[in-house]
Amino acid sequence: MEKYLYIALFAPLVGSLVAALFAQSAKNYFVGIFTSVLIFISFLSSMLLLGYVGEGVVVHVKMFDWIGAGNIEIPFGFIVDQISVIMMVTVTLVSTIVHIYSIGYMDHDKSFNRFFSYLSAFVFSMMILVMSDNFVGLFIGWEGVGLCSWLLIGFWYHKESASWAANEAFIMNRIADLGMLLGLFLIYWQIGSLQYDVVFANIENLNPTIVTWIGIFLFIGAMGKSAQFPLHTWLADAMEGPTPVSALIHAATMVTAGVYLVVRASDIYTLIPDVGFFIASLGAFVAVFAASMALVNRDLKRIIAYSTLSQLGYMFVAGGLGAYWIALFHLMTHAFFKSLLFLGAGNVMHAMNDELDIKKMGGLYKVMKPTAILMSIASVALAGIYPLAGFFSKDKILEVAFDSGAYFLWFALFIGAGLTAFYSFRLVMLVFFGEKNYEKYGVHPHEAKPFMLYALTPLALLAIIAGMFEHSFKEFTTQILRDYEFSLDHSVAIMLILATSVVAIGGILFAIYKYKNGGFSESIEKLPIFQLLKNQYYIPKFYEVAITKPFALASKFMWKNIDLRVVDATVDAIASIIYSTGQKARLVHNGNLSTMLRLMVVGLVVLLILVILFRP
């Protein structure tokens, strides 16, 4: 099975390199098709490995010795176990659909070939991240997805907003990555290895305080990648990139890396339940925090982005409370309906000439019925309605919170479930139903190309049925992850499910009722709470005033007063002295006989004086 590991890992890289050869050439459909086929081959290989690992075995390969310096010995090795193979299948499946969809979506873009090179490199970096058998390999993939996200978010670099968003995402993640690096240094300092098996076998022998700091530092890295508060602002701004990129970042790559890290390092977090509870508490806060901002936003893609942020909070609640397989399960199901939502939003954007304001849409159901149905399915799954995928994974997280005695966390997630259902169908109602507001702007919407719709069909199917594999998923992943033992009575669990379902259905019905009848009045938008949510709790403004502007002013001061007046002046002075000395010394070599004789006499006189002064 080793060859399938190599195929799954390196097929996206081959696609990226081949596409790069055509980067400066005119649009070539061969590039899109070729890269899509290679990603699909990677998916097929991942599926074969899934079946093989399902028999209780692990594929572990060491390609070669990678880093050897002093006592550091890090091989270039990869592992396919019950955790990594789930991520491999999820990443390659969603990526295959995104690649196929992008052939149509990027059809009119002059940088068509370059886009597919970046996109395949993104997938390859994520595969490195999830397949590595050590923390250094994971970090290489970690930085790889960071680089590719910068390239793809800022893909339309001629737009100032896109370049700014790409830089914001990159810099904010570099801040978090410093924390992760400190965690890796601490692991090596204490254990002498960064191999997963060695680290997890010896972590129990460390001082609990050291383990706590390792867990904190690693989670700081996860906070950046998965956009947890307060490092969350880049996620919504990342919508400046092409919509297929948004689908890939939010569903299968980048933001899921933080959750994967917590799940992969479960042996560490199990030993530090206090840190785990902090992770869960932050996740519950983010679940409600992000959902509240989605309630009032009018940007089609940003609403879905806030939804991702909220659902990541749910995943961290499960991971923080020790239900690692449930966190991974929600990661997988969420990937299907979230990528479906984003790609459906791409169809709407094309139909509306890239308009994103949902208040300028309405009535699109009649001209975009397939897209409306697909996005409605995804929204129902996101809301957690039975029997769609979101019901099984998200409700399980609420059960975990209640079972753990973390009733406040459960209540926060419960409120979040109602808000999620409301804002999801607020989007559906304002985009596809009601008054045709787009007519006021002279827009003539149209449905997406048929093959783009067909590409979305597997995601819609999985959004419906994926949750039904809960028990087999649990049996598969708990071969390596600790199982979470529920102590709830069956009747209490049923009551929790019913309560969550009622609040979700209530949110959907309220959204349908309210926006079927024109929505809220304009006076609502003048309320302070509305302005607070609309402006993202003024956190971006606070960052601008408290961090960005002072840093810019300090940089300008240092440039003018230190760099120019001290550093540059010192360097220039040294250069000037050397130059002037050289100019004077040139006389020695000008070839003039009279000058040479004079210099010889001067030299002779100097030597005689030295002899007289220093003779013994």
Side-chain angles (χ1 to χ4, degrees):
M1 299 303 291
E2 186 176 325
K3 65 179 179 181
Y4 295 114
L5 182 151
Y6 293 136
I7 293 171
L9 176 62
F10 291 112
L13 176 61
V14 173
S16 176
L17 294 176
V18 171
L21 297 175
F22 297 89
Q24 300 301 318
S25 305
K27 179 184 70 178
N28 191 332
Y29 285 117
F30 164 78
V31 172
I33 296 169
F34 181 74
T35 53
S36 300
V37 168
L38 284 178
I39 298 293
F40 181 65
I41 290 171
S42 180
F43 166 67
L44 292 178
S45 298
S46 300
M47 287 296 294
L48 289 170
L49 290 165
L50 175 67
Y52 184 69
V53 173
E55 299 173 359
V57 295
V58 171
V59 182
H60 193 179
V61 300
K62 174 184 173 182
M63 293 182 65
F64 51 82
D65 291 324
W66 181 22
I67 299 175
N71 295 326
I72 300 178
E73 293 184 5
I74 301 174
F76 197 67
F78 300 94
I79 188 169
V80 178
D81 58 13
Q82 288 78 5
I83 299 175
S84 59
V85 78
I86 290 294
M87 292 296 297
M88 290 166 61
V89 170
T90 303
V91 169
T92 53
L93 172 59
V94 173
S95 299
T96 299
I97 293 169
V98 168
H99 271 72
I100 296 170
Y101 177 89
S102 298
I103 296 173
Y105 188 89
M106 301 298 290
D107 184 40
H108 301 296
D109 198 286
K110 63 180 182 180
S111 298
F112 180 91
N113 303 339
R114 178 168 61 91
F115 176 81
F116 280 93
S117 179
Y118 292 169
L119 203 63
S120 291
F122 204 0
V123 180
F124 171 67
S125 297
M126 191 66 185
M127 294 294 277
I128 288 279
L129 191 157
V130 302
M131 294 175 68
S132 177
D133 68 349
N134 62 81
F135 280 105
V136 176
L138 179 145
F139 189 73
I140 296 299
W142 193 272
E143 295 303 301
V145 295
L147 171 63
C148 292
S149 68
W150 179 76
L151 292 170
L152 287 164
I153 294 169
F155 182 76
W156 291 315
Y157 54 85
H158 55 276
K159 293 169 57 180
E160 184 178 351
S161 58
S163 294
W164 190 91
N167 289 335
E168 180 191 21
F170 191 80
I171 293 169
M172 194 164 285
N173 274 276
R174 297 296 72 71
I175 295 169
D177 290 351
L178 175 60
M180 185 176 176
L181 274 174
L182 291 174
L184 299 189
F185 291 150
L186 198 52
I187 289 172
Y188 181 77
W189 179 37
Q190 293 294 315
I191 296 177
S193 176
L194 289 165
Q195 295 294 117
Y196 292 150
D197 51 357
V198 177
V199 172
F200 299 148
N202 291 279
I203 196 71
E204 293 181 351
N205 302 325
L206 299 187
N207 184 303
T209 302
I210 297 294
V211 179
T212 297
W213 279 110
I214 289 172
I216 290 171
F217 285 137
L218 291 181
F219 181 64
I220 290 172
M223 287 171 64
K225 274 290 180 287
S226 293
Q228 294 297 283
F229 178 88
L231 304 175
H232 66 282
T233 54
W234 70 266
L235 191 63
D237 293 332
M239 297 303 97
E240 288 290 338
T243 302
V245 173
S246 303
L248 202 54
I249 288 176
H250 287 248
T253 61
M254 191 70 173
V255 298
T256 60
V259 180
Y260 171 77
L261 175 61
V262 171
V263 173
R264 176 55 79 182
S266 59
D267 288 318
I268 296 175
Y269 288 104
T270 300
L271 300 175
I272 44 176
D274 290 342
V275 174
F277 187 76
F278 169 77
I279 293 172
S281 301
L282 181 63
F285 166 75
V286 170
V288 178
F289 171 73
S292 65
M293 292 187 287
L295 292 175
V296 302
N297 205 282
R298 294 171 54 163
D299 187 298
L300 175 63
K301 289 175 65 177
R302 282 178 177 262
I303 293 171
I304 306 174
Y306 288 131
S307 168
T308 299
L309 184 54
S310 180
Q311 296 308 304
L312 287 167
Y314 278 84
M315 297 174 207
F316 279 115
V317 170
L321 295 177
Y324 302 107
W325 76 264
I326 297 174
L328 192 61
F329 185 48
H330 191 50
L331 184 156
M332 183 190 73
T333 60
H334 173 264
F336 302 141
F337 53 76
K338 185 51 58 68
S339 54
L340 180 59
L341 269 176
F342 266 114
L343 298 179
N347 291 349
V348 173
M349 286 179 62
H350 266 196
M352 293 293 298
N353 297 334
D354 291 332
E355 177 60 61
L356 287 167
D357 189 342
I358 57 176
K359 290 290 185 73
K360 296 181 180 180
M361 300 178 188
L364 289 175
Y365 179 81
K366 292 183 179 179
V367 292
M368 301 185 70
K369 189 173 181 179
T371 296
I373 293 172
L374 291 170
M375 291 190 71
S376 296
I377 290 171
S379 298
V380 173
L382 175 60
I385 304 301
Y386 181 85
L388 275 72
F391 168 83
F392 293 92
S393 58
K394 192 162 73 172
D395 275 38
K396 211 70 179 174
I397 297 174
L398 276 89
E399 288 183 49
V400 168
F402 197 90
D403 182 69
S404 301
Y407 302 120
F408 186 77
L409 301 188
W410 172 84
F411 184 71
L413 299 181
F414 178 76
I415 296 300
L419 298 179
T420 300
F422 177 80
Y423 70 66
S424 297
F425 276 83
R426 169 180 175 263
L427 183 150
V428 170
M429 294 300 295
L430 287 174
V431 172
F432 295 109
F433 301 97
E435 185 179 351
K436 298 179 181 179
N437 295 317
Y438 61 83
E439 292 180 341
K440 303 174 186 177
Y441 304 95
V443 178
H444 302 285
H446 56 84
E447 185 54 279
K449 298 175 182 178
F451 83 88
M452 296 169 69
L453 296 172
Y454 293 141
L456 303 186
T457 305
L459 292 176
L461 180 62
L462 288 167
I464 296 170
I465 68 170
M468 299 176 186
F469 296 98
E470 175 190 337
H471 296 295
S472 57
F473 186 92
K474 175 185 175 181
E475 291 176 3
F476 181 75
T477 52
T478 51
Q479 294 178 45
I480 188 171
L481 293 172
R482 286 179 172 84
D483 190 8
Y484 182 88
E485 297 292 339
F486 285 95
S487 58
L488 285 175
D489 290 337
H490 182 68
S491 58
V492 175
I494 294 296
M495 289 298 295
L496 291 174
I497 292 171
L498 288 175
T500 308
S501 298
V502 167
V503 75
I505 293 171
I508 292 173
L509 294 177
F510 182 59
I512 293 174
Y513 166 77
K514 200 66 187 174
Y515 289 97
K516 186 179 181 181
N517 294 286
F520 292 96
S521 62
E522 292 184 4
S523 60
I524 296 292
E525 297 187 11
K526 298 178 181 178
L527 294 176
I529 183 64
F530 187 96
Q531 293 299 317
L532 183 69
L533 298 178
K534 180 181 177 182
N535 290 283
Q536 305 173 56
Y537 293 91
Y538 295 101
I539 292 173
K541 186 68 175 178
F542 171 76
Y543 286 170
E544 181 183 356
V545 172
I547 299 174
T548 307
K549 286 185 176 179
F551 185 81
L553 289 172
S555 299
K556 189 174 182 179
F557 173 83
M558 296 294 287
W559 168 58
K560 285 188 173 181
N561 296 281
I562 305 298
D563 194 36
L564 293 180
R565 295 183 180 180
V566 178
V567 178
D568 283 4
T570 301
V571 173
D572 291 346
I574 293 171
S576 179
I577 292 169
I578 293 172
Y579 180 78
S580 60
T581 304
Q583 285 289 90
K584 293 181 174 64
R586 288 175 64 187
L587 295 173
V588 178
H589 300 286
N590 64 1
N592 187 285
L593 182 60
S594 299
T595 302
M596 295 298 181
L597 289 172
R598 283 196 294 272
L599 289 173
M600 287 173 65
V601 170
V602 171
L604 181 62
V605 170
V606 171
L607 284 173
L608 288 173
I609 292 172
L610 291 174
V611 168
I612 294 170
L613 291 176
F614 296 102
R615 67 179 179 176

